[in-house]
Amino acid sequence: MFSDPTRLSLSQTADQLKKRQLSSEKLVLAFLERIETINPEINAYITLDRIGAIRGAQEADKRLDAKQGGPLTGIPLAIKDLFCTQGVRTTCASKILNNFTPPYESTVTTRLKAAGAVMLGKTNMDEFAMGSSNETSFFGSVKNPWDKSRIPGGSSGGSAAAVAANLCTAALGTDTGGSIRQPAALTGITGLKPTYGRVSRFGMIAFASSLDQAGPMTQSAEDAALLLQTMAGHDPKDATSINAPVPDYVAELNTGLKGRKVGIPAEYFSEGLSQSVREALETAKKQFEALGAELVPLSLPTTKQAIPTYYILAPAEASSNLARYDGVRFGYRCDNPQDLRDLFFRTRAEGFGSEVKRRIMLGTYVLSSGYYDAYYRKAQKVRRLIANDFKAAFEKVDLLLAPTTPDTAFKLGEKTDDPVQMYLSDIFTINVNLAGLPALSIPCGFDNANLPIGLQLIGRPLDESGILSAAHAYQQATDWHTRNPAL
Ligand code: GLN
């Protein structure tokens, strides 16, 4: 057992809290102290809610004393700064929302707080979740806890770094094109993107509404199951939320890998994959076999089309969603507007960063008359073909195994001048969003520079249990997920 409670996994923490060997207040204070010393180097948090966290912990301790708590009661969480939190500033890492304090709470954070979870603060991210490296944040880059000269991945890089550096017990992220799984892979943690519609999007600041999905970022698959249990479920406030019963993810964790058919998509192991990632994945495949899985080689021919398709559809939706930031109702407003036109123009010119502007321009272009059919409509058709590819694969296998990223974490600044290179690093994650499937990333090794490598498991629609139990079986047999960076 660790003497430092900030090192404990969520399930270990819950156990100690329940047995009253640990108080939530003591735990929160330990995190706040650790954040004070370590966060200045990592920049994982944008806003801390010290008073709210201590108060929440005290209430949780009362519930736990009265034996009324559940598995999340008193658990300190870090929340990506795009979940609206009532009374706590929510910026989406943008200057345009720098002064925005929501008057309401997102469904996901409402559910977690009702279960007794405690919010430590709001984590850094790419501006409006647009990016793969956390370098587009108005609040500066997040540093990878394994090597501070490198990116933590994006867009949920603050949440990933906070979990990896033990600055929270677990965190929330969102994944539109990989933003939970990619930073999870690059920081050596577990990250799950649920099926589109499994978790309510109400109160999440929208980027691309047909792709956005919230999920847990944790030390293990078991911890992810514990968080998802409370996050998942139908919400009448989100018209795209699925009205289907939520299984008992924790009880189903021990299904094991015996007899499960695991597809190995050839396109994910072709050119562009770095040597170290390839080797770690080869070893992991053998471990899956040893655990009883049957590996089935197969093909997902539309894999290559995913990047152009996503980088048409996501900006199109973003250009529409971000039209609301105009300096009129909330958020940043330019000084001394001359007239309404000047107010709109300068507010947006001054309030948005350059990547966000690039996406708005791209999106506006592909939706404009004369180009709509050539780009937007075409991309929608390709999106269907991509989903069909996965559908055909899941007629043969139960889940898919693939790398999460082509390479380990790159250097800060390495790709900032070349957006296309940056977009290409999403090659293995965005297909899953286009098809609406659940997928997770777990650590499966390290490269020569001691940087974590991620393994991705992709499941059938609503089969979060299938990928969580496979990940759990692997984590019972390996210890990659228990390693910590030296800080
Ligand atoms: N890197 C992708 C993008 O920039 C994915 C972002 C996300 O999942 N939020 O759009």
Side-chain angles (χ1 to χ4, degrees), residues 447-459:
D447 71 3
N448 292 335
N450 199 35
L451 297 169
I453 296 169
L455 177 155
Q456 184 173 207
L457 298 175
I458 305 167

Side-chain angles (χ1 to χ4, degrees), residues 40 45 50 142 179 196 209 257 282 296 330 344 435 448 466 468 472:
Y45 283 93
R50 291 186 185 80
V142 178
S179 282
Y196 181 78
S209 305
L257 271 166
E282 287 309 322
V296 181
F330 54 84
F344 293 157
N448 292 335
L468 282 167
H472 185 62

Side-chain angles (χ1 to χ4, degrees), residues 29-112:
L29 291 173
F31 274 120
L32 291 174
E33 200 183 307
R34 187 170 165 84
I35 291 166
E36 213 71 60
T37 50
I38 290 177
N39 192 55
E41 311 164 45
I42 305 285
N43 200 23
Y45 283 93
I46 291 175
T47 303
L48 281 175
D49 183 18
R50 291 186 185 80
I51 293 171
I54 293 168
R55 211 176 276 149
Q58 289 168 342
E59 274 165 33
D61 281 327
K62 275 190 215 143
R63 271 169 84 172
L64 289 159
D65 282 339
K67 307 237 170 294
Q68 284 165 351
L72 297 186
T73 310
I75 299 289
L77 300 178
I79 310 292
K80 187 178 185 178
D81 207 17
L82 65 56
F83 291 89
C84 285
T85 44
Q86 189 171 12
V88 177
R89 181 170 78 133
T90 300
T91 69
C92 234
S94 181
K95 179 180 174 184
I96 215 155
L97 286 175
N98 188 23
N99 63 2
F100 176 59
T101 299
Y104 69 106
E105 184 86 19
S106 80
T107 294
V108 168
T109 49
T110 302
R111 287 184 189 224
L112 291 169

Side-chain angles (χ1 to χ4, degrees), residues 257 262 264 269 277-291 293 295 401-402 442-445 453-457 474 478 480:
L257 271 166
V262 179
I264 309 293
F269 291 88
V277 176
R278 185 184 299 277
E279 281 167 16
L281 265 289
E282 287 309 322
T283 307
K285 279 194 219 165
K286 291 198 189 96
Q287 284 163 317
F288 268 69
E289 267 186 320
L291 289 165
L295 303 188
L401 184 156
I442 48 174
C444 71
I453 296 169
L455 177 155
Q456 184 173 207
L457 298 175
Y474 178 78
T478 54
W480 304 116

